[in-house]
Amino acid sequence: MRSRANIAYALLIVLVLESCCFERTLCSNVTYDHRALVIDGKRRVLQSGSIHYPRSTPEVWPELIRKSKEGGLDVIETYVFWNYHEPVKGQYNFEGRFDLVKFVKTVQEAGLFVHLRIGPYACAEWNYGGFPMWLHFIPGIQFRTTNAPFKEEMQRFLGKIVNLMKEEKLFASQGGPIILAQVENEYGDVEWAYGVGGELYVKWAAETAVSLNTSVPWVMCSQEDAPDPIINTCNGFYCDGFTPNSPTKPIIWTENYSGWFLSFGYAIPYRPVEDLAFAVARFFETGGTFQNYYMYFGGTNFGRTAGGPLIATSYDYDAPLDEYGFIRQPKWGHLRDLHKAIKLCEEYLISSDPVHQQLGVNLEAHIYYKPSNECAAFLANYDSHSDANVTFNGNLYHLPAWSVSILPDCKNVIFNTAKVVAQRNIGDHSFSRKTNFNEMLLVSSAWSWHIEEVGVSGNNSFTVPGLLEQINTTKDTSDYLWYTTSINVSGEEKEAVLNIESLGHAALVFVNKKLVAFGYGNHDFANFSINKKISLKEGNNTLDLLSMMVGVQNFGPWFDIAEAGIFLVALIGSKNGKTDLSSGEWTYQVGVEGEYLGLNKVSLANSSLWTHGSILPVNKSLIWYKATFSAPDGKGPLVLNLASMGKGQAWVNGQSIGRYWPAYLSPSTGCTENCDYRGTHYSSTCQKGCGQPAQTLYHIPRSWVHPGKNLLVLYEELGGDPSKISVQTRTGQDICSFVSEADPPAADSWKPNSQFVSQVPEVRLTCEQGWKITSVNFASYGTTEGNCGTFSPGTCHADVLSIVEKACIDQVECSIPVSSANLGDACPGLLKTLAIEAHCSE
């Protein structure tokens, strides 16, 4: 009896655990085979998206994750950022935006999995690639090679994060959401530079990761020589041709670039959703089972977190969720429909390897079979120019160029990557249409200011012979380093050319305390030269150079020892020739006066250091500005429009919202109004905003402001006009959709063995949460002309405004079938489109 009781009790425990695991998709055993990750004994097809927790705030994490789940994601992927978790050796920070445990638990609460990329090297366009600066100063250290001091620190931090996750029971085997972990990051791209030391380091990193006993698989991305059992994975714009280094490993895509990062002085890169969807469909078509969007939400490089050189504050990345967390359409919606279509094929994808069938030149099919011989198929036209008609299983299919059609029953097309039926946003970005935001201008009378003296100040300077390298001098405690010397002139020659050479990233030049030049590099070439004709006076002249960093380098071989700052200063005279000032005596100061005074702090808001008067100084360098503002009503994020400013940094209530540089314009050429999605995409294939600043709007999280007065502080380096600055918040959105009778019905309307061809396509409209459709501005069924925002009735036009208003007004979402039976037929025999423009607001 006792034995039977024990057996019954044990069975009860097992049943309870199985129930827990089934209901919450937790308590999982995660392994892999050649086809997929295997979770609790079942292969899984998984859609993943990157969201970096410090690039947003904890208050909006749940909404970002909710929108990701609604977009069809199964997994959230994030890096871990060592430099902010351990800013001082042995002193840890897991608070606020850096509360990693809270972020992982928030994902878990939404019912999604986590891929934790511990690294600890991140790259990620993050300052110093995520490495803490103190690491650089450990004697004898060499990063990312078989170096004992580095390996000791890396192993310690890996262990710290793994143990933290274990303590919080966040690995899958503990009932947590973490199903994958990553060690190192894209090391294969630079391994050649490290020789044998690099090869040994890869083996050591793999062994160290496995020894931590996470109970989940480890991956190394872009690492062809990843040792077993580490899975080597693919990063890139396309991964349909990727093969792992072992036939026992699944095909995993860790970084599928949804767009590209933004740099000061560059045009804004973007990636058409038709190409992105094509890449994803091709990946699953050819055998992939796990893909991750880098990024699904990019967010903001608050403070000095942006990497270098010259990475912008916005990390929008043209992601499905924009920098502020709003849904970017049609990217989000088209990918959601793609995910639905792939999910309908999952049982086929996990049941077999694909069977390839050539359908013509640049035309092919991949078929997946169940044991029952039922099948799902992907039909691809990878020609970048020509559409095609193909015959498959006795049926004729039209395939636009550079597209994939998905047939979950080997018969009915439920999705084509080139046919976008998802709704679209009207306007280039969330704050591009004045009808959709409230704006408060900070006029001249609102401002106070503090003008800095040129050169070193106070007791914070030191003098040494020669020019010092900037990073080793500042230890990245400030963007700024003053270089000061004197030039003694005697005789007739008082004009010369001042030659300055810098490794980056920018510098202001003052002669006798007057600004005479400004030089700067760019993201690809941070170094720059200044050659400026100057006039000197008899006797002693002062030369003050303010060298400025714009993010510490985060990528490349041996990037950790990349240098910055001024390395040559010379005078070139017509009579005296070249006089090298580099080896003379130089006085240095790390940081600028206002940083030492703490002018960005709330505690000094009422200090006598600030001046207030009737005439606001504008277009002046080295000046601090201060104003207060009341946050516009609402719950959404705010933006600060700094288009009128030059270059500097900004703080709201003491929190740094990042660096700004609107004065740096992108090249005037290289952009295309309508970028053709067909053909291989690169980071610079599609660009917009030529001849404009890379960024003028700066994100203020709603949680950083409060009722009443809020403090805004700017440090302006070049010169600008703060009286033209405004604070904005979004109050609505303009949306549109156009769907033709020939478009496929919605993917989620397909059911096995259903008469899918008899169903009709639909226009579906949805507002952001909290808004409803308050007006319909255009509605036509026929041969509509123009694009979203510029629609006009064509020669065939049925006015369906009343039908659309009845279905949509005061609704968060609505759908209208696209058929003559529903909308009337103004022109029988012609292919017709339903086009709608609507406005959402409170």
Side-chain angles (χ1 to χ4, degrees), residues 157-217:
F157 185 73
L158 283 172
K160 172 72 177 180
I161 298 301
V162 168
N163 289 334
L164 180 62
M165 297 300 103
K166 286 181 177 179
E167 289 166 8
E168 298 290 337
K169 302 189 185 311
L170 293 175
F171 285 107
S173 60
Q174 301 174 292
I178 302 172
I179 59 168
L180 271 182
Q182 179 177 299
V183 65
E184 248 298 331
N185 184 61
E186 297 180 322
Y187 189 71
D189 296 342
V190 298
E191 186 177 342
W192 58 270
Y194 297 84
V196 175
E199 297 175 18
L200 295 173
Y201 169 65
V202 170
K203 293 177 182 177
W204 170 84
E207 291 168 358
T208 300
V210 172
S211 72
L212 293 171
N213 298 317
T214 61
S215 72
V216 301

Side-chain angles (χ1 to χ4, degrees), residues 47 49 127 151 169 188 204 263 334 372 466 475 481 489 512 576 601 613 618 642 644 659 694 696 719 725 735 769 771:
Q47 305 288 354
N127 198 53
K151 291 195 294 184
K169 302 189 185 311
W204 170 84
S263 300
H334 193 52
S372 62
K475 297 180 171 57
L481 179 63
V489 174
N512 294 323
N576 298 333
K601 296 178 181 177
V618 298
L642 296 176
S644 64
R659 302 180 181 99
T696 58
I725 292 174
I735 59 177
Q769 193 174 46
W771 295 332

Side-chain angles (χ1 to χ4, degrees), residues 646-657:
K647 178 183 183 298
Q649 298 185 48
W651 295 263
V652 171
N653 293 328
Q655 299 257 38
S656 173
I657 63 172

